[in-house]
């Protein structure tokens, strides 16, 4: 298939894991590497390992987690073996896994620990560069709690668990039996094709054990189970029919108020679900992992609101702009609304290739006086060059703000309008403008209100936005 790089993912620390299991990781990696090298001497293998964390409402919720020393010993052992074969090895940060274990199995007393750690500067701990494990350990000590006790405790079947007050619709006895089956290596049969396993989800009234499967699944079976229904495959036209006429659209939407705090990936998922709930047929990509054909513009920083965001979507049906907006907007959260829709001719460049500049309104009223704002803007305008240093992968890269940033206007006492351009080499971030032009540090930038008010496209022959007529 022409693959030159293979990445393998493994997990360590499962309750029944043995030394032989870990040796098998090394053995499998060796076989994969040797197989690749037979076809391409430059082919490479990368290995990523994460640590198992027992999670509530799962069969392993009763079991303990490995200690920090055990995890470190296993990971470093794998690292030594794999590096002998020149296989790239990465692992989930050990301290982060330990903290996840405490949070997964903790009780209400951890509320004081979380607040204390936050007050002492713990932020974005899921990112290795921001993890401050010492701050968390101090918070545990201040609360008189031992994180090792939470991680290593083994519960019995009749123990009251910290999350037992939450009804998650699964039978507790089923989970315990599943846990015991796992410890002795006994599989539980899939209720899709066998008898009911008694998990407790189905009440055979409102929730039934209905399974949808293609007819080919039971082609060789004399009698398929009653709970299996015939599956009609959508997005697959019947043999001999004409292909569906596709419709490519560019939608402009706003994200204001509370929606400014929705990150980019969540916003993407919100639109996926809204179109699905509205019953609008979106075209899916081909391949082993088909995805809906959406294409979003440049990600917006969290807490920055916007009046002009864009995404492209390809539909398998013809629909008017007004109908699309009405059906989708009803299913979007507060602050998110589609305002216009354009039909895209074939060959239209992507949003990222089409954008020329964005205009932002930056309100500095909580940090700088009107005179100070004027002084900063004039200093920038009068400078022949305004170069900053950006550090990427331990390398320093000079970036000229003058190349991208233009201050258009200062309205009222504190609102600065600034246009940020972009080219093939990139652009600049708002945080860089606030830091280098206005001298604001990380904490001060948190109170600055920013709103995107305009987006400018490169000149293209694209129809005007429409919302009322049939496409």
């Amino acid at each position: 298939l022409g693959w030159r790089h293979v990445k393998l993912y493994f997990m360590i620390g499962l309750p029944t894991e043995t030394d032989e299991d870990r040796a098998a990781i090394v053995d499998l990696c060796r076989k994969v590497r040797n197989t690749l090298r037979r076809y391409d001497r430059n082919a490479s293998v990368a290995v990523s390992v994460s640590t198992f964390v027992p999670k509530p409402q799962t069969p392993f919720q009763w079991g303990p987690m490995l200690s920090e020393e055990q995890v470190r010993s296993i990971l470093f052992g794998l690292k030594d073996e794999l590096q002998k074969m020149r296989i790239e090895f990465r692992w989930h940060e050990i301290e982060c896994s330990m903290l996840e274990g405490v949070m997964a199995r903790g009780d209400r007393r951890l509320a004081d620990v979380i607040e204390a750690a936050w007050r002492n500067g713990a932020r974005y701990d899921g990112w290795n560069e921001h993890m401050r494990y010492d701050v968390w350990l101090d918070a545990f000590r201040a609360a008189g709690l031992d994180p090792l006790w939470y991680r290593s405790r083994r519960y019995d079947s009749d123990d009251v668990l910290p999350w037992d007050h939450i009804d998650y619709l699964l039978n507790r006895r089923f989970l315990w039996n599943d846990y015991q089956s796992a410890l002795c290596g006994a599989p539980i049969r899939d209720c899709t094709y066998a008898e009911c396993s008694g998990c407790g989800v189905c009440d055979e009234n409102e929730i039934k054990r209905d399974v949808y499967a293609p007819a080919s699944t039971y082609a060789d079976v004399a009698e398929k189970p009653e709970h299996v229904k015939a599956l009609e495959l959508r997005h697959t036209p019947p043999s001999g029919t004409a292909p569906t006429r596709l419709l490519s659209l560019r939608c402009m939407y706003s994200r204001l108020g509370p929606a400014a705090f929705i990150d980019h990936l969540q916003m993407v998922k919100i639109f996926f679900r809204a179109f699905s709930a509205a019953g609008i047929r979106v075209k899916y990509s081909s391949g082993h992992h088909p995805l809906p054909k959406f294409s979003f513009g440049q990600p917006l920083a969290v807490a920055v609101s916007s009046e002009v965001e864009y995404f492209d979507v390809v539909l398998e049906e013809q629909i008017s702009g007004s109908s699309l907006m009405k059906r989708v907007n009803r299913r979007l959260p507060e602050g998110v609304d589609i305002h216009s829709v354009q039909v895209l001719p074939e060959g239209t460049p992507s949003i990222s290739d089409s954008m020329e500049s964005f205009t932002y309104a930056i309100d500095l009223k909580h940090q700088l006086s009107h005179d100070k704002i004027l002084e900063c803007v004039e200093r920038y305008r009068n400078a022949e060059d305004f170069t900053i240093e950006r550090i990427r992968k331990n390398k320093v890269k000079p970036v000229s703000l003058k190349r991208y940033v233009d201050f258009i206007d200062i309205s009222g006492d504190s609102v600065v309008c600034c246009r940020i351009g972009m080219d093939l080499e990139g652009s600049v971030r708002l945080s860089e403008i606030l830091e280098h032009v206005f001298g604001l540090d990380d904490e001060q930038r948190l109170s600055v209100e920013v709103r995107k008010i305009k987006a400018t496209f490169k000149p293209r022959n694209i129809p005007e936005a429409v919302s009322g007529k049939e496409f």
Side-chain angles (χ1 to χ4, degrees), residues 231-295:
L231 174 65
E232 296 180 6
L233 297 176
R234 296 179 65 183
H235 306 294
T236 305
S239 175
T241 61
T244 304
R245 187 158 67 97
L246 302 179
L247 179 64
S248 297
L249 303 175
R250 177 162 293 168
C251 302
M252 190 270 281
Y253 69 98
S254 61
R255 43 182 293 181
L256 305 172
F261 295 94
I262 303 174
D263 66 53
H264 181 71
L265 293 180
Q266 289 300 319
M267 185 64 69
V268 171
K269 293 178 181 178
I270 284 172
F271 276 105
F272 287 178
R273 293 166 182 160
F275 271 74
S276 177
I280 298 175
R281 297 199 309 275
V282 177
K283 170 73 175 174
Y284 274 68
S285 61
S286 56
H288 296 291
H289 185 52
L291 294 171
K293 299 201 75 170
F294 280 86
S295 177

Side-chain angles (χ1 to χ4, degrees), residues 458-469:
K458 298 172 184 176
R460 299 283 182 184
N461 185 23
I462 300 177
E464 291 296 320
V466 291
S467 60
K469 72 172 192 176

Side-chain angles (χ1 to χ4, degrees), residues 183-200:
L183 294 180
C184 63
I188 292 180
R189 297 183 66 188
D190 183 355
C191 68
T192 303
Y193 309 107
E195 66 279 357
C196 176
S197 56
C199 69

Side-chain angles (χ1 to χ4, degrees), residues 8-13 17-30 46-51 66 70-92:
L8 306 175
Y9 294 87
F10 298 96
M11 179 174 286
I12 63 166
E17 184 176 282
T18 63
D19 292 339
E20 289 75 17
D21 294 324
R22 294 187 282 273
I25 292 177
V26 177
D27 186 51
L28 177 60
C29 293
R30 180 184 296 107
V47 175
S48 181
V49 174
S50 58
T51 303
L66 292 184
Q70 289 174 308
V71 172
R72 197 176 302 277
S73 174
I74 293 171
L75 288 176
F76 283 20
L78 290 173
K79 176 184 176 183
D80 291 342
E81 291 297 323
L82 294 174
Q83 286 188 339
K84 292 176 184 177
M85 297 182 281
R86 296 185 178 179
I87 292 177
E88 181 184 352
F89 182 65
R90 298 178 182 177
W91 61 88
H92 190 57

Side-chain angles (χ1 to χ4, degrees), residues 20-62:
E20 289 75 17
D21 294 324
R22 294 187 282 273
I25 292 177
V26 177
D27 186 51
L28 177 60
C29 293
R30 180 184 296 107
K31 291 178 179 177
V32 171
R33 185 207 60 172
N34 292 343
T35 301
L36 285 173
R37 294 283 173 85
R38 285 205 299 268
Y39 301 96
D40 188 340
R41 293 181 58 187
N42 296 319
S44 63
V45 178
V47 175
S48 181
V49 174
S50 58
T51 303
F52 174 72
V53 176
K55 296 295 176 65
Q57 304 164 8
T58 68
F60 288 136
Q61 64 183 350
W62 286 278

